[in-house]
Amino acid sequence: MEQGRSGVRRVLAALRLTVVSGVIGAALAALVVGVILKDVPVLATGGGVLVLLVLLALLGGRRGRGRDEPPALRTALARIEDLRATGGETADVPVTFRLTVAPEPEDERPAYRVKISQSINLVDIPAYRPRGIAVVEYHPEKPWDVRIVTRPTPEWSRRAEEAEIDSAPESTLVRDPDGGTGAWCLLVLVGLLAGAALVVLSFRGELFVSGDAGDGPAKPSSSSRTFSTSTTVSGPSSSLLTFGRMRVTAMELEARVDSAYVTAITIEDHRMAVRGDSALPPAETVHLQSLPYELFPGLVREARTTLGVRDPESWRIDVTPGTGGGVGPRVRVTVSGEEGTAHLDADAAGRVTDRRAVEVSRARSPGG
């Protein structure tokens, strides 16, 4: 029922916008025609209509501000379906989220999907992962207006840790009906052109003008099944162990391949590389922005000091998808030196799960 009322409101708003745009287009055309033909009545009519529209808009705006009260915010839990960082120049990174919002029972609204964009602090990004649970605030009358609560209360934090939310179907995706989309811009353009054309055609005998229009070429689209890319960092403090450098580099590689889902990530002191296959489902890939890059330097230090390699010559981090359902990515840190090669494994939260130190027989020389 609510979706039906929303649809009716959108249709009425579209009709109103088209009519008002047509009147504005006709008034502007009347001004131009009146000037060209030196026809004072036509010129006065066009100017009078524009003045009247401006007065009506001012009066309507004042009444709207006096009537409308901001709706109370509601708090709820939401499942993170997907997230993607869209920049990285400052400490607050713009991130696009796709969420399944599960309103409280008293709201009498089923779970629904929504797409939002919100700035998240660089250090807090690892806390948000696909299939994780976040605390959100939303307007009950505007379900598309959702904001992630980055510092929830202890009670809501506990509920988020214990909750399990199923994904809502894509058909439940809600959008802002007044969100300045291309469809509304098209309606305005059509209304303006229709109103102007009506006036110009009415005086075509006096104006003797003609116009033509053409369609632009369609933008080609292409997709790639597999992809791989790498980058080498240089300059002062260019080591990828520098705080924040890994995440920024990962965002650069994501922008190159136009995908946040990859099948392998390799990180060395001055180089990062990714590989991927767009045909694989997300469960068999690694999400670039969900990794705890800020914890990786600590894992490298631990591997270099606790695995029996006294003077490590090189290190490397390999991230691959986990095996089995629900298992997160596997992080392996490998160090090499004169004694040999050793490694440790960690999970997606940066916790060490396995160690393989240098074997004593390999560390000793043949004559030792």
Side-chain angles (χ1 to χ4, degrees):
M1 179 69 70
E2 184 176 348
Q3 291 182 349
R5 289 197 298 267
S6 176
V8 172
R9 287 196 296 267
R10 294 191 66 181
V11 171
L12 293 177
L15 291 175
R16 183 169 61 250
L17 182 63
T18 304
V19 171
V20 173
S21 301
V23 173
I24 294 175
L28 292 174
L31 286 176
V32 175
V33 171
V35 170
I36 295 175
L37 300 180
K38 298 181 181 180
D39 191 327
V40 176
V42 174
L43 182 62
T45 300
V49 170
L50 288 178
V51 172
L52 179 61
L53 289 175
V54 171
L55 292 176
L56 290 176
L58 292 176
L59 292 175
R62 290 181 179 178
R63 289 181 181 179
R65 285 193 296 270
R67 271 197 320 266
D68 297 338
E69 294 181 2
L73 293 175
R74 301 278 180 88
T75 305
L77 298 177
R79 173 188 170 100
I80 300 174
E81 303 293 349
D82 188 21
L83 71 156
R84 181 174 182 178
T86 57
E89 297 296 331
T90 62
D92 291 330
V93 180
V95 181
T96 299
F97 291 88
R98 292 183 71 88
L99 306 173
T100 289
V101 180
E104 293 296 284
E106 58 266 26
D107 199 16
E108 299 181 354
R109 173 186 289 275
Y112 64 91
R113 287 211 181 195
V114 67
K115 182 178 180 181
I116 66 171
S117 181
Q118 182 173 336
S119 293
I120 302 295
N121 191 273
L122 189 68
V123 178
D124 295 334
I125 287 182
Y128 303 98
R129 299 186 179 92
R131 298 180 293 277
I133 305 299
V135 181
V136 299
E137 287 183 341
Y138 69 100
H139 291 278
E141 298 178 4
K142 301 177 180 179
W144 56 85
D145 191 359
V146 178
R147 182 182 66 87
I148 291 179
V149 180
T150 56
R151 297 291 183 269
T153 62
E155 178 185 356
W156 279 103
S157 297
R158 177 183 56 79
R159 293 180 61 179
E161 292 175 357
E162 300 173 354
E164 292 185 3
I165 300 175
D166 294 330
S167 298
E170 285 288 345
S171 59
T172 63
L173 181 67
V174 297
R175 294 184 176 88
D176 185 357
D178 300 321
T181 61
W184 295 106
C185 295
L186 181 61
L187 286 177
V188 172
L189 179 61
V190 170
L192 289 172
L193 293 178
L198 182 63
V199 173
V200 171
L201 290 176
S202 300
F203 293 89
R204 62 184 181 277
E206 293 88 346
L207 294 173
F208 296 104
V209 295
S210 62
D212 46 38
D215 295 326
K219 183 179 179 180
S221 61
S222 60
S223 60
S224 176
R225 180 178 175 81
T226 60
F227 55 84
S228 64
T229 187
S230 64
T231 185
T232 302
V233 296
S234 59
S237 301
S238 60
S239 173
L240 286 171
L241 295 178
T242 304
F243 181 79
R245 180 61 65 90
M246 287 189 191
R247 187 171 298 280
V248 172
T249 306
M251 288 188 292
E252 293 175 356
L253 294 178
E254 177 184 338
R256 281 193 200 174
V257 300
D258 194 25
S259 175
Y261 294 94
V262 299
T263 56
I265 305 171
T266 302
I267 306 173
E268 297 172 315
D269 195 23
H270 297 280
R271 181 178 178 273
M272 180 182 289
V274 298
R275 298 196 310 273
D277 188 341
S278 58
L280 293 176
E284 299 179 16
T285 62
V286 178
H287 193 281
L288 273 173
Q289 298 304 325
S290 67
L291 296 174
Y293 295 105
E294 292 73 21
L295 303 180
F296 285 178
L299 294 176
V300 173
R301 285 193 297 270
E302 185 169 349
R304 297 175 70 176
T305 57
T306 64
L307 298 181
V309 182
R310 290 191 295 270
D311 189 15
E313 298 174 354
S314 64
W315 60 268
R316 186 180 75 250
I317 300 174
D318 294 293
V319 185
T320 54
T323 57
V327 179
R330 187 183 73 169
V331 181
R332 168 162 291 187
V333 182
T334 303
V335 293
S336 300
E338 185 176 342
E339 295 81 8
T341 300
H343 68 259
L344 62 80
D345 293 334
D347 59 17
R351 296 184 293 264
V352 177
T353 58
D354 188 29
R355 302 173 187 270
R356 182 64 60 87
V358 175
E359 297 180 2
V360 176
S361 60
R362 293 187 58 188
R364 294 176 177 173
S365 62

